[in-house]
Amino acid sequence: MRKPSIRDVAKLAEVSTATVSNVFSGKKPVNDALKTRVQFAADQLGYQMDRAASQLRSQRNKVITVLVPNITDTFFATIVSHLENLAFEHGYDVIVASSHDREDVESSRIKALMSWRPAGMIAIPCAGQLSEALLTLKNRCPTVLIDRVSIHSTPFDTVTIDNHAAGELACQHLVDAGHKNILIAASNLSFPPIRERVEGTYNVLKQSQLGHPHVIELGSELGLGSSKITQWLITHPKPTAIFALTNVTTLSTLTALAELNIKVGEDISLVAFDDYAWMSARSTSLTAIRQPVELVAASAWSKLLERIESERQNADPQATVLNTCLVQRHSVKSI
C-alpha cells in the first residue's frame, strides 16, 4: 500500500492542502476546529509529515540541536523538556544528544548533530574549558551555551545563574542558624559554576571570621559520590551542616547520611541545590537553592531564535545572568 499523502489528509478533513501544511509546519496559524479535523484525519490515515523534504523545499532547516552532558541528570533533562516545548510552539524540531561527560564523545556528538545542518544549537559543555569541537561552532551555526560556562571567556551567547550569589545565599543561611563547621559537597571544581558557588561560601565565612569550609569533590556519578562522602564522614569530625552544590551531590549526600544513620534536620543540617518535588515530599523536607530552570531554557531559546532570525551568527556574544532564591524548609536546624 502506498503511503498516505498530504492530499489524502486534505480530502478526508475537507480542507485545502495549504491548511494541512500550515497545521504541521506551524508557518501560519490555523483555528482549533480545523486543526483538530486535520490531526484526526492524519491519525486515521497514519500520515506523517516528511520534514526533511519540507525543509528542502523551503530552503530553511527547522531543526534545533541540543547537547547536554548527561540526559539522565534531572537538571539537564528538565532544560531539554522546556526547550522541546518552546521549539514545538515555534515550529521547530529538536534533536538531543548526550556527551556522557566525555570530551571525545562530545566531539563525536557535535559532528553527528551538525550533519543535520541545524538552524542553531543549544549546548551545555561537558568540561570547564570549551572543547575544540564546541569552538568550531563559532563560524558554523548560531549557538547558545548554558550552565557550565564562564561568561568572561566564551565566544557565544550564554545563559547562567549568579552562582557566586547562590553560594553566599546558602552559606549565609547556615551561618545565621549558628553553624560554623560546614562541609561543601561539590561535584567538580573545574566547572566554573561550582568554583563560583564555593567562592560565594568563602566570602560569607571570611566576613563572619569563620575561615574556609571543608570542600570535597564527589564527581557526577551518584554511586561514586556517595562512597566518597561516606568515607570522608567516617574519617573526619562530623560537620554540623552540609551544603550540596548540585542535585547529584545532594542525592550522594543523602545516600551517605542514610547509610551512616545520620538524621537530616536533627543530627546534621543540609542545604540542597536545585529544588525538585521530591525534596518537599520527604519526611524532613529539604531547604534548597532554587534555580529558575524554566527561565534559563526560555532565555536560551529567545537568544537562539534572535540569532537565527537576524542571521547575526555569533557576533558580539551577550551574557544573561539569572538569580536564584532560597527555599526554606526543615533540613536546617538552628544551633
Side-chain angles (χ1 to χ4, degrees):
M1 295 178 63
R2 70 178 180 84
K3 292 173 62 176
S5 69
I6 193 171
R7 291 185 178 84
D8 297 327
V9 177
K11 183 178 179 180
L12 183 59
E14 298 181 345
V15 298
S16 67
T17 55
T19 297
V20 177
S21 177
N22 288 332
V23 168
F24 287 101
S25 69
K27 289 180 181 177
K28 294 182 180 179
V30 178
N31 70 60
D32 291 341
L34 286 180
K35 188 182 296 184
T36 300
R37 279 164 53 187
V38 168
Q39 290 172 338
F40 179 77
D43 290 341
Q44 291 290 100
L45 295 170
Y47 170 79
Q48 287 187 323
M49 182 179 181
D50 188 339
R51 292 194 179 274
S54 173
Q55 289 162 5
L56 187 62
R57 286 192 296 270
S58 67
Q59 300 297 306
R60 187 173 185 185
N61 200 338
K62 299 282 281 186
V63 168
I64 297 296
T65 53
V66 178
L67 179 65
V68 297
N70 191 338
I71 197 62
T72 62
D73 184 290
T74 307
F75 174 72
F76 302 141
T78 305
I79 291 286
V80 169
S81 179
H82 286 309
L83 289 174
E84 286 179 325
N85 291 336
L86 290 163
F88 181 78
E89 290 173 7
H90 289 84
Y92 283 85
D93 287 319
V94 175
I95 299 172
V96 181
S98 172
S99 66
H100 298 282
D101 280 311
R102 290 175 47 183
E103 193 168 318
D104 59 333
V105 176
E106 181 179 79
S107 178
S108 175
R109 295 293 187 265
I110 289 173
K111 184 178 180 180
L113 291 172
M114 288 303 296
S115 69
W116 288 86
R117 297 184 180 179
M121 182 181 293
I122 294 175
I124 300 175
C126 71
Q129 296 291 326
L130 298 188
S131 66
E132 287 298 321
L134 273 174
L135 290 172
T136 62
L137 297 176
K138 172 71 175 176
N139 299 313
R140 298 178 69 188
C141 78
T143 303
V144 176
L145 302 184
I146 298 176
D147 190 49
R148 291 183 182 177
V149 290
S150 172
I151 63 175
H152 305 294
S153 57
T154 303
F156 303 102
D157 285 341
T158 57
V159 179
T160 60
I161 64 163
D162 190 337
N163 289 286
H164 198 279
E168 290 183 336
L169 188 61
C171 192
Q172 189 64 58
H173 180 62
L174 291 172
V175 169
D176 290 344
H179 294 278
K180 299 178 181 179
N181 184 7
I182 300 170
L183 172 65
I184 307 300
S187 55
N188 190 322
L189 292 173
S190 71
F191 298 155
I194 302 302
R195 290 199 305 272
E196 291 165 10
R197 291 170 199 176
V198 172
E199 289 167 3
T201 66
Y202 282 1
N203 274 2
V204 170
L205 294 175
K206 182 179 179 180
Q207 292 170 7
S208 303
Q209 299 182 330
L210 295 177
H212 285 340
H214 300 288
V215 180
I216 179 173
E217 285 186 274
L218 304 182
S220 301
E221 295 182 16
L222 176 59
L224 182 59
S226 61
S227 297
K228 285 183 177 180
I229 194 168
T230 297
Q231 188 61 33
W232 193 95
L233 289 169
I234 291 172
T235 57
H236 292 77
K238 189 179 74 176
T240 62
I242 299 175
F243 176 27
L245 301 189
T246 69
N247 61 309
V248 175
T249 58
T250 296
L251 288 169
S252 294
T253 299
L254 289 170
T255 302
L257 295 177
E259 184 176 333
L260 297 173
N261 197 29
I262 299 173
K263 295 180 180 179
V264 174
E266 295 181 26
D267 304 325
I268 199 167
S269 292
L270 175 64
V271 176
F273 211 94
D274 292 333
D275 184 35
Y276 300 105
W278 65 266
M279 293 184 178
S280 58
R282 290 170 41 86
S283 56
T284 301
S285 56
L286 301 184
T287 292
I289 294 291
R290 177 182 291 167
Q291 296 193 73
V293 183
E294 187 171 356
L295 185 56
V296 169
S299 298
W301 175 257
S302 177
K303 280 178 171 287
L304 187 64
L305 208 57
E306 181 182 344
R307 291 288 183 179
I308 293 170
E309 293 177 349
S310 68
E311 298 182 352
R312 290 182 60 244
Q313 198 79 347
N314 298 302
D316 303 318
Q318 303 295 315
T320 297
V321 181
L322 305 173
N323 294 320
T324 60
C325 65
L326 178 73
V327 181
Q328 296 186 36
R329 297 196 181 98
H330 301 103
S331 62
V332 175
K333 173 184 176 183
S334 294
I335 58 174

